[in-house]
Amino acid sequence: MNILLWHVHGSWTTAFVQGPHRYLLPTLPERGPWGGGRPAAWNWPAGAVEMAPADLADAEVDVVVVQRPEELELAEDWLGRTPGRDVSVIYLEHNAPRGHAATSRHPMADRDDMTVVHVTHFNQLMWDCGSTPTTVVEHGVVDPGHRYTGEVPAAAVVINEPVRRNRITGTDLLPWFARTVPLDVFGMGTDDLGTAIGVDPSTPVRGMGDLPQPRMHAEMARRRMYLHPMRWTSLGLSLIEAMHLGLPVVALATTEAPEAVPPGTGCCSSDPDRLAQALRELVAEPELAEQMGRAARAHALDRYGLDTFLASWDEILRRSTGGRRLSRRPAPSVTTGRS
C-alpha cells in the first residue's frame, strides 16, 4: 500500500516503516512539525520517501494515518481528497488523555469514517471515543540486541523535556530516587538538568543530553537498571527499548507500566519507597540485575516484537481499505449545459 503519514514520534515511525509498504512523508523546505520528512538521523528503509505537498494531489495514496487533528485538514488540502470519504483514514492515538482522564472525549469521537488505533489498552480504556470504532496495536521496536553490561552502578532514565513536563513525567521524583542511586537522564532538554530542577550538587542527577539513538542505547546498556518514573504518560518506547537491551526495570505502576513490567523483570509499584529499595538491591546484586534483565528482554521480545507489531498493522490497514485503492485525486465531474 501507499501510506501517507507525518513523522511525529521517531521510535514509533522507525518501527512502522519497517513494513512492506511505501510510506509517503510530507516534506516542506523549512521542515518543522507539518513537513519534517525523513529525518537524516534515523536509519529508515528505502520505502520511506519524502514528498512535497504539491506532489501529493497526483500521488497514489491508499490510506492516511493521522496522528494529530490538524493533519486531517492538511491531508484534504494537499491530496484534494477527503479522508474518510475519498481515501481511507486511520487515526493513531499515541497518548493517554489529559485533564479529566476518565471523562475526556477524544477529538475523533462519534465518527463512522475512521478507526482510532490506540497504542495501549490503558489508553483505549480511558479515552471516550463515543461510537468511533477503536482497536489497539501495541508498540513494537526494532530489536537493538542484548547489549547489557550494567557496569555503571547508576539508573538510566529517558525523559524528553523533563523540566516543562515535571510531575507528568515524574521529574519531581528524581531527587528522591537519586538519594539511593545516581541517575543518568537522557533526552531532549536534559542538559544541566540537576541545576534546572534545583537539586543539591551532591545529589547525582546527571543530564546526558539528547543523544542519537544508537549512542543512547549503548550508554543505557552500561547502566545497572532502567528507571521509569512517569506518572501520566502513554507507555514510553524507551522503556521497551531498555528491556530489549537487557536492562531490569524499576517503574511506577501507572498507566500501562504494570502490563509491560511483569514480576521477575524488575519492580513495578506505586510506592516510591519500594522502588527505592529495588534500586538498592539491583546496585548491590549485579547478578540479580543481569538475571532480571534477561527476563525483561524475553518478555519484550515476546510482547513487543517487531513482527507482531507489523502483522497487526497490516491487518488494520487491510480492513481500513477494504481492498479499495482510492489512489489519485478524483476526476472532476463535467456538467453539460443546455443548448
Side-chain angles (χ1 to χ4, degrees), residues 1-6 16 21-25 56 59-66 75 79 81-84 86-92 113-115 117 313-314 316-322 324-328:
M1 294 184 185
N2 296 303
I3 303 167
L4 174 66
L5 79 155
W6 281 258
F16 188 64
H21 310 289
R22 188 166 176 256
Y23 306 89
L24 310 179
L25 301 157
L56 285 171
E60 294 186 356
V61 177
D62 300 301
V63 62
V64 183
V65 175
V66 174
L79 291 171
R81 284 156 279 182
T82 300
D86 304 317
V87 61
S88 299
V89 61
I90 296 167
Y91 192 99
L92 172 62
D113 58 349
M114 67 172 62
T115 296
V117 178
W313 265 105
D314 280 349
I316 296 294
L317 293 166
R318 184 191 64 78
R319 292 207 312 258
S320 72
T321 59
R324 296 173 298 161
R325 294 186 65 86
L326 302 174
S327 55
R328 288 190 172 86

Side-chain angles (χ1 to χ4, degrees), residues 146-152 218 221-224 245 247 290:
H146 187 273
R147 302 169 64 181
Y148 180 75
T149 66
E151 64 201 77
V152 179
R222 297 179 61 230
R223 272 63 187 176
R224 186 67 51 83
L245 289 165
L247 278 83
E290 182 179 5

Side-chain angles (χ1 to χ4, degrees), residues 144-223:
H146 187 273
R147 302 169 64 181
Y148 180 75
T149 66
E151 64 201 77
V152 179
V157 189
V158 179
I159 306 175
N160 286 322
E161 300 184 77
V163 176
R164 179 182 67 82
R165 298 166 75 194
N166 196 17
R167 283 183 59 86
I168 291 175
T169 55
T171 305
D172 61 303
L173 298 174
L174 297 183
W176 163 263
F177 289 123
R179 296 173 191 169
T180 302
V181 61
L183 306 181
D184 292 338
V185 188
F186 301 85
M188 295 183 287
T190 59
D191 299 285
D192 300 320
L193 178 61
T195 301
I197 62 177
V199 299
D200 186 280
S202 64
T203 303
V205 177
R206 301 181 290 230
M208 307 303 290
D210 186 20
L211 305 181
Q213 190 182 56
R215 185 179 166 197
M216 184 180 74
H217 284 168
E219 290 297 326
M220 288 170 61
R222 297 179 61 230
R223 272 63 187 176

